[in-house]
Amino acid sequence: ARETLALRRGFEKQSVNFSYTPTEAGMHKLTVSADGIAGEFTARNNTLSDFVKVLKDARTVVLIAGAPSPDVTFIKAALAADPTITVSTHILKQGTEFYEGPPSASVLGDAQAVVLIGFPTASAPQNVIDMVATAARNGCSMLFIPSVATDYRRIDALADILPFRVASSRPQEFQVTADVKRNAINDPILKLTGTDTDAATWSQLPPIFRTETFVTPAPGAEVLATLRVNNAPLEEPLILKRETDRSRSVAIMGYGLHRWKLLAEGPRDARGEARGLDILATLMGNTVRWLSVRDDDKRVRIRPSRLL
């Protein structure tokens, strides 16, 4: 790209913006050059180079659910709508069988992220829980979304990966709304449009459900949103994220997330208005991108001190 810049006296710095769309993954060298003008002391500083590392934009996600539910349907559809995401779904039946068959260790080993929706339940096979834990310890990231049937006594194997620790849990339900922290509005997971309207959009979302499960952030975890009950704010985590040297994890401590799409778009459709931002799809896309993008996780890295 080229652009003409009118130099102004008295200004030491002037900025020019260029857009760069990579066509393949890997390390790329970008160089910008300024044409010389008469009377310059030297032209040796008219060129500047830098390097960017472009990661692959292809992700494999394994979705494991404790039972069929609207959340499973809507979240699977949101993930499948992204052409860069391949979704493998495994939904638990009444007993220990899965509709699509149980996930295998090889499938989990090749995935960039695993999405747990209402899993594990009381009847969930222990070997599947252990396989998920092994995959997470080997670098597979995790998104955790509960349901009313989630058995928190069975997540001990995942405790080192999840961004929360359970203090107490009861199956009684109540409704909550998201209270996004002001400093988290521009977080890559919660960013919607990148404008000042994002805070109002989050605060106006329909309520979702939650059991009387109270958690504390795990070491190194960050609370992105707390909850409000009857418009009264509570310092109880609703959305958390955590990053370690091996993997990343996100937890949304509520369910009925399909309401963020259904109840937000339904009234507009009934009035014949144009659809607005699909918040659920945006949230899922942001989350999977954040979970999937990470550098090589080898414990020892050797690299040159200068790129040529």
Side-chain angles (χ1 to χ4, degrees):
R2 291 184 65 89
E3 185 167 329
T4 300
L5 180 65
L7 299 179
R8 293 172 290 174
R9 293 184 180 277
F11 287 84
E12 295 183 358
K13 290 185 178 181
Q14 293 177 241
S15 299
V16 179
N17 295 321
F18 292 100
S19 296
Y20 168 63
T21 303
T23 58
E24 59 183 7
M27 190 68 73
H28 294 261
K29 181 180 181 180
L30 304 181
T31 301
V32 61
S33 299
D35 293 337
I37 60 175
E40 282 191 88
F41 178 76
T42 179
R44 300 175 69 178
N45 60 351
N46 284 9
T47 300
L48 181 66
S49 298
D50 203 354
F51 291 82
V52 294
K53 184 177 182 180
V54 179
L55 302 179
K56 291 182 179 180
D57 193 24
R59 308 167 186 88
T60 300
V61 175
V62 178
L63 190 156
I64 305 176
S69 70
D71 273 358
V72 173
T73 301
F74 278 74
I75 291 173
K76 179 182 177 181
L79 295 174
D82 189 332
T84 68
I85 296 177
T86 301
V87 184
S88 174
T89 308
H90 306 272
I91 303 175
L92 195 63
K93 288 185 178 181
Q94 188 70 25
T96 60
E97 298 182 0
F98 289 83
Y99 287 101
E100 305 85 351
S104 65
S106 61
V107 169
L108 288 167
D110 292 336
Q112 281 73 51
V114 59
V115 178
L116 304 181
I117 303 179
F119 186 91
T121 60
S123 63
Q126 185 61 45
N127 68 313
V128 175
I129 300 174
D130 293 339
M131 281 193 296
V132 172
T134 299
R137 283 192 290 268
N138 290 335
C140 182
S141 296
M142 182 180 298
L143 169 60
F144 176 86
I145 301 171
S147 73
V148 69
T150 299
D151 190 343
Y152 288 95
R153 296 170 299 180
R154 304 201 62 198
I155 65 172
D156 289 346
L158 308 175
D160 292 339
I161 299 102
L162 292 171
F164 64 88
R165 300 288 184 265
V166 178
S168 62
S169 179
R170 297 173 58 193
Q172 282 72 18
E173 286 184 320
F174 61 101
Q175 289 189 337
V176 301
T177 53
D179 189 5
V180 176
K181 299 292 186 182
R182 182 171 297 276
N183 58 355
I185 288 296
N186 292 320
D187 186 270
I189 293 175
L190 299 187
K191 181 184 288 187
L192 300 176
T193 64
T195 65
D196 294 338
T197 62
D198 285 359
T201 301
W202 277 107
S203 65
Q204 294 168 6
L205 287 177
I208 60 175
F209 299 100
R210 178 185 173 114
T211 59
E212 290 185 3
T213 300
F214 300 99
V215 301
T216 57
E222 180 182 352
V223 178
L224 302 179
T226 53
L227 54 85
R228 286 182 284 127
V229 179
N230 296 326
N231 213 31
L234 298 178
E235 289 301 316
E236 179 67 23
L238 180 65
I239 303 177
L240 311 92
K241 73 174 184 179
R242 185 186 184 208
E243 181 176 7
T244 68
D245 60 343
R246 298 306 300 264
S247 66
R248 294 179 171 186
S249 61
V250 175
I252 304 175
M253 302 304 299
Y255 51 94
L257 304 185
H258 66 280
R259 294 162 61 90
W260 286 351
K261 179 179 177 69
L262 199 62
L263 297 184
E265 294 184 356
R268 285 195 293 264
D269 290 345
R271 294 191 297 266
E273 300 175 357
R275 290 194 174 188
L277 178 69
D278 189 334
I279 295 174
L280 181 60
T282 302
L283 174 63
M284 289 298 109
N286 290 348
T287 302
V288 171
R289 277 190 291 273
W290 185 82
L291 290 173
S292 304
V293 176
R294 62 180 184 272
D295 289 334
D296 188 6
D297 57 4
K298 293 182 175 63
R299 291 192 177 274
V300 178
R301 298 174 182 165
I302 301 175
R303 61 181 58 161
S305 60
R306 182 179 178 184
L307 294 170
L308 301 176

